Amino acid sequence: MLTTDEMAGWDDLEWSADGLIPAILQDARTGAVLMLAWMNREALRLTVRTGEAHFWSRSRAALWRKGETSGNVQRVLEIRADCDGDVLLLSVIPAGPACHTGHASCFYRRFALLEEGGASS
Amino acid sequence: MLTTDEMAGWDDLEWSADGLIPAILQDARTGAVLMLAWMNREALRLTVRTGEAHFWSRSRAALWRKGETSGNVQRVLEIRADCDGDVLLLSVIPAGPACHTGHASCFYRRFALLEEGGASS
């Protein structure tokens, strides 16, 4: 259980100059990190109200309900804030792949696999 | 195993206008999401070379080796890129708490716990 002074509220959130905050989606069942997207205040309000993840698309400059075309909605069980209040972590139950490529997670590409002590050793 | 066309490289990364990319740290053993911080190219290069997480501090405008003062270094096992190449996911073994507050994860504060169907139901 979290104690009261560990609860974060709207006043504890730090929005970027653009009025956005990054939100990490984590599968509540597997622990897999699925994606990162951006929320403005309205996206967060809609997420809390509906229980489905909403975001702000920076490229389209529009509110976006995840899964509105694909059907792969992300049901949100819990939202956590980090110590600085400038990142959100959403625990979700995905209705389908989080990635538009059809992968369960957007992080399907390996960039580096490190040996003990780093890649140079 | 990842296939060759699922491997991401430097050319596949999308850096922000500020030359930064957000990096999510996930505990390789527990799956817990520990923190999000920002990297510039040099921080990513040092992370790959040394196997310890390096970041760019936006507030201090300085490179920063995680744990350089606390000793709580984050040993990096793997780095993944998302589909758009604008977010990194690091699988790490923490030497100690990731959060400066002493919590294992920076996401120790609950913002919302949602009922089935959202908070309004």
Side-chain angles (χ1 to χ4, degrees), chain A residues 20-23 25 34-47 50 52-74 76 90 97-101 106, chain B residues 82-84 86:
Chain A
L20 302 177
I21 194 167
L25 267 64
L34 302 176
M35 60 182 288
L36 180 145
W38 295 80
M39 289 184 170
N40 62 4
R41 286 174 177 76
E42 180 65 2
L44 179 57
R45 193 185 67 76
L46 286 168
T47 299
T50 66
E52 292 182 351
H54 288 66
F55 302 109
W56 175 257
S57 168
R58 294 179 302 170
S59 55
R60 292 186 290 114
L63 270 174
W64 158 52
R65 181 172 66 88
K66 176 71 181 166
E68 64 190 1
T69 54
S70 67
N72 297 327
V73 299
Q74 304 283 327
V76 180
L90 280 61
C99 189
H100 72 287
T101 61
C106 291
Chain B
D82 76 346
C83 51
D84 297 328
D86 60 3

Side-chain angles (χ1 to χ4, degrees), chain A residues 47-52 75-76, chain B residues 113-121:
Chain A
T47 299
V48 171
R49 186 164 67 80
T50 66
E52 292 182 351
R75 186 156 62 84
V76 180
Chain B
L113 179 66
L114 304 187
E115 304 288 330
E116 183 80 32
S120 66
S121 64

Side-chain angles (χ1 to χ4, degrees), chain B residues 67-85:
Chain B
E68 64 190 0
T69 54
S70 68
N72 298 327
V73 299
Q74 304 282 327
R75 186 156 62 82
V76 180
L77 304 185
E78 189 188 57
I79 305 174
R80 305 183 76 84
D82 76 346
C83 51
D84 297 328

Side-chain angles (χ1 to χ4, degrees), chain A residues 2 6 8 26 31 48-50 77-83 103 106-112 114 117 119-120, chain B residues 2 6 8 26 31 48-50 77-83 103 106-112 114 117 119-120:
Chain A
L2 292 168
E6 288 176 333
Q26 183 176 30
V48 171
R49 186 164 67 80
T50 66
L77 304 185
E78 188 187 59
I79 304 174
R80 306 183 75 84
D82 77 344
C83 51
H103 290 82
C106 291
F107 295 96
Y108 61 88
R109 300 191 300 164
R110 179 181 289 164
F111 176 83
L114 305 186
S120 65
Chain B
L2 291 168
E6 286 178 334
Q26 183 176 31
V48 171
R49 186 163 68 79
T50 65
L77 304 185
E78 189 188 57
I79 305 174
R80 305 183 76 84
D82 76 346
C83 51
H103 290 82
C106 292
F107 295 96
Y108 60 89
R109 300 191 299 164
R110 178 181 288 164
F111 176 83
L114 304 187
S120 66

